[in-house]
Amino acid sequence: MLNRKEKRLLKADKSLVCALYNIIDKYLPKLFVMFENLSDSRQQGKVTYPMKVICVTRLFALLCGITSMNSLTNKFNNNLTINTISKITRIDLSELPHYDTINDVFDDLNINELRKIQKYIVNALVRSKMFDKFRYNGKFQVLVDGTGIASFNYKHCEHCLVKKHSEGNITYEHHVLEAKLVFSSFVLSIDSEFIENPNQDVIHIKKQDCEMNAFKRMAKRLKSNFPKLKFIITADALYASGPFIKICLDNNWDYIFRLKSDKLKTVNQDFDGIISITSGTKHKNYFLVKDYIYNKYKFNIIRYIEKTKNKKDKIFTYITNLTISDNNIKQIIELGRQRWKIENQGFNIQKNNIFDITHMCSHNYNAMKAHYLFIQFAHTIRQLLDLGSNVVKCFQGKIKEISFSILNELISTNVNLIHNTNFQLRFDKLII
């Protein structure tokens, strides 16, 4: 633990902006080139800011916690920030792009090209091997869950999901299905699939898009993008059903799905009946039924009851095709319980901490999706800094304090971008 003097010296000696630059330069060296090569629909003779400047400006605003497009322009509009962005992009700038200019570009960004950047980031970090120690039997755990990112009391666009409430009112919503690799406290966005209706008649559409259909689309892309990676798909009780199991097995993925009493009721009844006779394992408060047959699928059912003082016991039940024994049942339960990290380290931080994914940066639907994906890029880079770099030790992991310090450095310091060839990230393995 650093004392106050050591923290002051570390803060004085280390540049967070320089650390971010070195993270990108060492671990994601093609990122800015991919920004530069994004399709640009603007009339090229009238372009003031190259695509790389547009994207880097937006990225670094997010890295220091600026979520409002208006704040981006107001807070970045000074000579020191302009000078630093010029150094990062290696383009001589007299001004930074106004937020309207950025949004105009985002209106027409190709979302599939941004997904290629998402794929590149994952591949680059996986190939660095710094996360290999988080594999389970050579497999990466992938957390899958959906979340809402916008809601209106009027029809926003032709792709809105329509939700009719019991009170009689209607809301128009946008949701996204997210898949994240989990490495201890680090969650890395591996794919984002927007749940959206396909036509303009959103009021009278008979069958809306849903998480199941989104997962089908996502699964195809995951298999195509990462054919050699072995996954353990981990999700909530919605996924404890034949169709989701089939998708996993067809792609040679393992799975761990939460099982609740209102899901697969016959399975629950059979499981409760069997464990009333034998727990199936030697470990206290753990229960196991092997090779249960559900329709044409065979899986194992596991349960852990967490005893708590003066509170109701917590019950965790899962179905999985992973091999279970007395030697690994505790570890598999812990893998199942990691599912909450997509909610906490993922959605909660992105909604309530520094990224605010529900903030309307643009009312254009394509731009909304582009901003969402840029938040995924920024969140990955911030986690590399926050969780893997010694530079942030003096901040004791306080994300908002780190964000403020990055912003303060950008707007008040002549940053010297030192290329550090010895820059190294290190992540501690969670013991489970």
Side-chain angles (χ1 to χ4, degrees):
M1 181 69 69
L2 299 175
N3 60 38
R4 291 183 179 180
K5 182 178 180 181
E6 288 171 332
K7 288 178 184 179
R8 286 197 303 271
L9 290 173
L10 188 58
K11 283 185 179 181
D13 186 52
K14 300 293 184 180
S15 162
L16 289 169
V17 176
C18 192
L20 287 168
Y21 174 77
N22 277 292
I23 286 171
I24 296 169
D25 184 61
K26 179 170 182 176
Y27 294 97
L28 306 171
K30 296 181 182 179
L31 180 62
F32 292 164
V33 175
M34 296 184 80
F35 284 163
E36 189 175 22
N37 291 332
L38 287 169
S39 297
D40 192 347
S41 62
R42 295 174 293 176
Q43 188 175 343
Q44 293 306 299
K46 297 182 179 180
V47 169
T48 303
Y49 302 102
M51 191 65 79
K52 181 164 66 171
V53 172
I54 296 286
C55 294
V56 169
T57 301
R58 179 62 179 132
L59 179 68
F60 270 79
L62 287 167
L63 289 172
C64 59
I66 296 177
T67 57
S68 162
M69 297 301 287
N70 186 49
S71 295
L72 185 157
T73 294
N74 291 338
K75 292 183 178 181
F76 269 25
N77 191 23
N78 68 70
N79 290 332
L80 290 171
T81 307
I82 294 168
N83 184 47
T84 299
I85 298 297
S86 294
K87 292 176 182 177
I88 292 170
T89 59
R90 299 179 183 177
I91 296 173
D92 188 26
L93 300 168
S94 58
E95 294 286 342
L96 291 180
H98 189 271
Y99 69 85
D100 282 338
T101 303
I102 296 174
N103 268 336
D104 287 344
V105 172
F106 275 38
D107 286 352
D108 296 317
L109 277 183
N110 187 315
I111 300 303
N112 286 329
E113 290 181 1
L114 295 183
R115 285 201 173 104
K116 288 180 181 179
I117 295 176
Q118 189 178 38
K119 173 186 173 182
Y120 162 71
I121 291 172
V122 173
N123 276 326
L125 296 181
V126 167
R127 287 169 183 166
S128 74
K129 299 188 180 299
M130 63 183 167
F131 295 118
D132 277 359
K133 59 189 171 185
F134 297 96
R135 295 180 190 247
Y136 174 80
N137 288 346
K139 303 164 186 174
F140 283 119
Q141 186 174 17
V142 176
L143 312 179
V144 178
D145 200 8
T147 191
I149 54 175
S151 180
F152 309 88
N153 57 10
Y154 59 91
K155 178 184 172 183
H156 167 257
C157 70
E158 62 184 28
H159 299 293
C160 292
L161 299 176
V162 181
K163 185 176 181 180
K164 298 180 181 179
H165 299 268
S166 57
E167 301 86 356
N169 61 309
I170 296 175
T171 55
Y172 300 84
E173 302 177 352
H174 288 292
H175 292 206
V176 62
L177 182 66
E178 187 69 25
K180 294 185 183 292
L181 292 170
V182 58
F183 314 119
S184 187
S185 296
F186 191 120
V187 289
L188 168 59
S189 179
I190 188 173
D191 195 273
S192 307
E193 178 59 34
F194 297 94
I195 305 173
E196 55 191 15
N197 284 324
N199 58 52
Q200 295 183 8
D201 192 12
V202 293
I203 292 290
H204 301 102
I205 189 170
K206 292 182 178 179
K207 190 173 183 180
Q208 298 193 80
D209 196 15
C210 62
E211 199 162 320
M212 163 62 79
N213 290 334
F215 185 64
K216 289 178 181 178
R217 300 192 297 270
M218 173 183 280
K220 290 180 180 178
R221 193 162 52 241
L222 283 174
K223 192 64 178 180
S224 174
N225 287 344
F226 312 102
K228 295 182 180 180
L229 291 186
K230 297 178 181 179
F231 295 142
I232 303 171
I233 305 296
T234 307
D236 61 23
L238 172 67
Y239 288 73
S241 65
F244 287 112
I245 292 173
K246 184 178 187 303
I247 292 172
C248 291
L249 297 180
D250 286 349
N251 288 289
N252 294 315
W253 300 332
D254 292 315
Y255 61 85
I256 304 173
F257 297 148
R258 184 80 184 268
L259 183 64
K260 292 189 174 180
S261 57
D262 60 347
K263 194 75 173 177
L264 302 183
K265 292 184 179 180
T266 302
V267 176
N268 274 287
Q269 291 170 0
D270 290 346
F271 179 67
D272 290 338
I274 295 171
I275 65 173
S276 67
I277 301 170
T278 174
S279 68
T281 176
K282 67 180 183 181
H283 299 291
K284 186 178 179 181
N285 298 328
Y286 288 83
F287 304 87
L288 166 64
V289 171
K290 292 183 179 181
D291 299 331
Y292 182 88
I293 303 296
Y294 168 72
N295 292 341
K296 59 182 178 180
Y297 304 109
K298 182 168 68 174
F299 49 72
N300 300 310
I301 313 173
I302 53 177
R303 174 177 290 170
Y304 170 61
I305 300 178
E306 183 177 87
K307 300 292 184 178
T308 56
K309 292 181 178 180
N310 304 320
K311 293 183 179 180
K312 187 177 180 180
D313 293 344
K314 296 179 181 179
I315 300 175
F316 302 92
T317 308
Y318 304 94
I319 63 172
T320 178
N321 66 328
L322 290 168
T323 302
I324 309 292
S325 68
D326 284 337
N327 294 329
N328 72 352
I329 187 171
K330 291 184 178 182
Q331 189 173 17
I332 302 304
I333 288 287
E334 288 302 317
L335 288 175
R337 293 182 69 174
Q338 287 204 118
R339 190 207 67 79
W340 66 269
K341 290 184 177 179
I342 195 171
E343 303 259 2
N344 195 11
Q345 275 85 346
F347 299 140
N348 183 48
I349 285 178
Q350 290 186 8
K351 286 184 178 182
N352 303 314
N353 211 306
I354 60 172
F355 296 112
D356 198 3
I357 56 174
T358 59
H359 178 75
M360 293 296 297
C361 294
S362 171
H363 280 272
N364 178 280
Y365 182 51
N366 191 80
M368 284 173 57
K369 294 197 285 187
H371 283 296
Y372 177 86
L373 289 170
F374 264 77
I375 288 173
Q376 305 315 307
F377 305 158
H379 191 197
T380 295
I381 295 167
R382 273 298 303 268
Q383 287 179 100
L384 291 171
L385 175 74
D386 298 348
L387 302 176
S389 172
N390 285 330
V391 177
V392 298
K393 281 186 176 180
C394 54
F395 300 96
Q396 295 184 320
K398 295 179 180 178
I399 296 175
K400 289 187 177 180
E401 183 183 350
I402 298 169
S403 299
F404 177 80
S405 296
I406 296 170
L407 176 59
N408 187 58
E409 187 180 344
L410 276 170
I411 64 178
S412 63
T413 307
N414 185 13
V415 179
N416 185 16
L417 292 181
I418 301 171
H419 181 73
N420 185 357
T421 56
N422 295 319
F423 188 87
Q424 192 74 28
L425 297 175
R426 290 183 176 85
F427 297 89
D428 295 328
K429 188 179 188 305
L430 179 70
I431 304 301
I432 57 175

